[in-house]
């Protein structure tokens, strides 16, 4: 039997969250209008991009509505430029939103690791140059890398003693980098303009588009160290005197992959392509920097104070319920190794794995009150007569005392055929499995398919198609196809 979890929310390689489809959070009237391909997807990408933007700018409470319209145009280009396999993945992640156009539905959306990597690269190419915001902490403008902004400068923030710098070189403090109207860079150290540093930086014999690009070149080319008074660099547009703060893509702990977003709203053309999107309000709940990031449609666009925390957290149950149904880890998941047993209480709407001698023995789910409500056992407890099917499930009941009910099986835990595997790979999915206690991955990159062993960089086998890889790849002198059919590949997960 195979343990299969489609689109599971689990750790892949390190700590990457994988895709679930768009899970409806609340359902009101359903739209009967179909939306042409790319319309829903581009809206979801714009919501995600705007939310990440708020998370990436320290101290920001939201995005100016007019800027969100520019972000929508950027999101359309992200979709248009995406490879076919990435488009398929984005469509699957937003599938549930297809029936929600112009409704008040909300959805949980997340991306596969490969799709997330693509989106991060695109996002940083567009937003990585910096951002400026109003006094009320609303992001007002974006500077993309390569934007021609001359003259401009990168300067240090003031610190407690007023001696900030943007780094050290050869025991000297670098105070600022300037780019003049012609694109020539000048480096200022604490003792003044440093011609030798400036000359080295200009060895590329080409003008810099802006001071941020010159700063990045400087940091990359030379060994720039941080010191006691080193601060975050500030980009200054010499034409308008606007200051741009640094943009850093948020970590998964600050901004989780799974986010709640509303159903897109707007006007469709006769052919169901999108004529115009309604501009969402993206910012922190209550309009304060400590609020959760929320995407919504308040009665007044840009009213961040009207965004409520409930809109950002009401997906927890359905995310948990979906994970429990599919047998995948819940959004809040932890691992216990080589214990006597798992605890019967835990964090509400969470799951916990028991790993014994390197093998997954049991997964337990904890309900709204924190009590265990479901176990998935991955062994037969040494008794094939009582527990012939692996994996199997047990529901918990609390009629008199906490105890597990009889075992049963569900389709998502087993009965995954070789033909289904080939079909999943051919439609762009990636797969992980365990063979003889070692984890392997089947993954695609730039049109080729690879068999990878966990912890190793070089592929074990490459091929032009998934079917070719399955027949060519050998483990213990047997092809993957043969090992799959024999049932030797276990813990199969499809992403």
């Amino acid at each position: 039997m195979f343990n299969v979890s489609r689109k599971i929310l689990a750790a892949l390689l390190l700590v990457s969250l994988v895709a679930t489809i768009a899970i409806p959070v609340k359902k009101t009237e359903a739209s009967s209008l179909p939306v042409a391909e790319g319309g829903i997807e581009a809206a979801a990408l714009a919501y995600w991009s705007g939310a990440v933007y708020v998370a990436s700018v320290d101290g920001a409470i939201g995005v100016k509505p007019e800027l969100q319209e520019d972000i929508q145009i950027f999101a359309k280009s992200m979709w248009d430029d995406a490879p076919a396999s990435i488009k398929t993945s984005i469509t699957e992640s937003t599938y549930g939103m297809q029936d929600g156009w112009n409704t008040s539905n909300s959805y949980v959306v997340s991306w596969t690791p490969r799709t997330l990597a693509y989106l991060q690269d695109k996002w940083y190419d567009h937003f990585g140059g910096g951002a400026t915001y109003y006094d009320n902490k609303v992001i007002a403008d974006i500077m993309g890398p390569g934007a021609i902004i001359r003259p401009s400068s990168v300067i240090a923030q003031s610190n407690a003693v007023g001696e900030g710098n943007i780094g050290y070189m050869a025991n000297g403090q670098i105070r600022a980098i300037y780019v003049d109207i012609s694109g020539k860079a000048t480096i200022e150290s604490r003792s003044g303009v440093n011609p030798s540093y400036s000359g080295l930086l200009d060895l590329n014999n080409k003008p810099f588009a802006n001071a941020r690009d010159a700063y990045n070149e400087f940091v990359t080319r030379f060994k720039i160290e941080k010191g006691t008074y080193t601060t975050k660099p500030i980009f200054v547009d010499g034409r308008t005197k606007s200051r741009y703060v640094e943009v850093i893509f948020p970590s998964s702990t600050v901004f989780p992959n799974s986010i709640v977003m509303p159903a897109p709203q707007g006007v469709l053309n006769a052919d169901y392509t999108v004529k115009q999107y309604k501009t969402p309000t993206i910012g922190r709940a209550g309009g304060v920097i400590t609020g959760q990031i929320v995407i919504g449609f308040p009665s007044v666009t840009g009213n961040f104070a009207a965004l409520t925390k409930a809109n950002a957290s009401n997906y927890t149950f359905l995310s948990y319920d979906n994970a429990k149904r599919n047998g995948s880890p819940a959004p809040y998941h932890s691992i216990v190794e080589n214990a006597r047993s798992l605890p019967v209480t835990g964090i509400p709407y969470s799951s916990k794995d028991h790993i014994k001698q390197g093998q997954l023995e049991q997964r337990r789910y904890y309900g709204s009150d924190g009590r265990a409500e479901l176990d998935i056992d991955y062994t037969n407890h040494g008794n094939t007569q009582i527990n012939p099917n692996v994996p199997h499930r047990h529901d918990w009941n609390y009629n008199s005392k906490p105890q597990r009910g009889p075992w049963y099986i569900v389709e998502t835990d087993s009965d995954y055929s070789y033909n289904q595997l080939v079909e999943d790979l051919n439609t762009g999915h990636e797969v992980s499995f365990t063979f003889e206690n070692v984890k392997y991955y089947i993954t695609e990159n730039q049109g080729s398919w690879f068999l990878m062993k966990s912890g190793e960089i070089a592929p074990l086998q490459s091929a032009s198609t998934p079917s070719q890889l399955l027949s060519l790849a050998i483990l213990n002198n047997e092809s993957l196809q043969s090992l799959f059919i024999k049932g030797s590949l276990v813990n199969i997960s499809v992403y």
Side-chain angles (χ1 to χ4, degrees), residues 229-285:
Y229 300 128
T230 300
T231 65
K232 289 184 178 181
I234 297 176
F235 177 87
V236 181
D237 185 337
R239 304 163 304 179
T240 64
K241 307 304 179 184
S242 297
R243 291 191 170 200
Y244 288 75
V245 296
E246 188 177 23
V247 171
I248 300 176
F249 196 94
S251 68
S252 59
T253 56
V254 174
F255 186 83
N257 185 23
S258 294
I259 63 173
V260 180
M261 54 182 67
Q265 298 185 24
V267 180
L268 299 179
N269 293 310
D271 60 355
Y272 301 110
T273 57
V274 178
K275 181 177 182 179
Q276 183 178 5
Y277 290 102
K278 182 178 180 180
T279 302
T281 296
I282 300 180
R284 295 190 177 275

Side-chain angles (χ1 to χ4, degrees), residues 142-186:
I142 301 167
M143 183 188 74
I148 297 177
I149 303 177
R150 299 194 296 241
S152 57
S153 59
V154 170
I155 63 175
Q157 296 184 31
S158 297
N159 58 22
V161 296
E163 295 183 352
N165 62 71
I166 57 176
Y168 284 80
M169 181 178 177
N171 298 320
Q173 294 186 33
I174 307 302
R175 299 295 302 276
I177 295 179
Y178 302 94
V179 168
D180 64 18
I181 193 69
S182 68
K184 183 179 179 180
T186 301

Side-chain angles (χ1 to χ4, degrees), residues 262-320:
Q265 298 185 24
V267 180
L268 299 179
N269 293 310
D271 60 355
Y272 301 110
T273 57
V274 178
K275 181 177 182 179
Q276 183 178 5
Y277 290 102
K278 182 178 180 180
T279 302
T281 296
I282 300 180
R284 295 190 177 275
V288 296
I289 60 174
T290 56
Q292 286 183 273
I293 296 174
V294 181
I295 307 165
F297 291 100
S299 56
V300 177
T301 303
N303 183 5
F304 305 105
L307 299 175
T308 66
K309 180 179 177 180
N311 293 337
S313 58
N314 59 1
Y315 69 92
T316 300
F317 170 69
L318 287 194
S319 295
Y320 165 81

Side-chain angles (χ1 to χ4, degrees), residues 1-10 322-329 360 363 365 376-378 390-393 409-422 424 429-434 484 487 489-495:
M1 289 293 186
F2 304 105
N3 170 31
V4 177
S5 303
R6 291 172 176 266
K7 302 294 173 296
I8 65 173
L9 189 63
N322 183 70
K324 186 175 67 170
R325 183 171 55 252
N326 292 335
S328 57
L360 175 60
R363 177 167 293 156
Y365 295 86
I376 301 179
D377 293 343
Y378 296 93
V390 176
H392 58 265
R393 300 187 175 209
I409 62 173
V410 298
E411 184 178 354
T412 53
D413 293 333
S414 59
D415 299 327
Y416 186 66
S417 71
Y418 178 74
N419 287 337
Q420 287 175 300
L421 173 66
V422 174
D424 282 336
H429 292 287
E430 299 180 338
V431 171
S432 69
F433 62 88
T434 301
F484 185 99
L489 308 184
V490 298
N491 298 330
I492 299 174
S493 294
V494 182
Y495 303 97

Side-chain angles (χ1 to χ4, degrees), residues 394-409:
H394 296 270
D395 290 327
W396 281 76
N397 64 70
Y398 296 86
N399 295 330
S400 54
K401 62 179 181 178
Q403 60 182 355
R404 303 200 315 170
W407 69 269
Y408 63 96
I409 62 173

Side-chain angles (χ1 to χ4, degrees), residues 357-369:
Q357 297 178 345
Q359 294 287 329
L360 175 60
E361 186 173 83
Q362 186 179 76
R363 177 167 293 156
R364 179 165 292 173
Y365 295 86
Y366 300 91
S368 59
D369 57 1

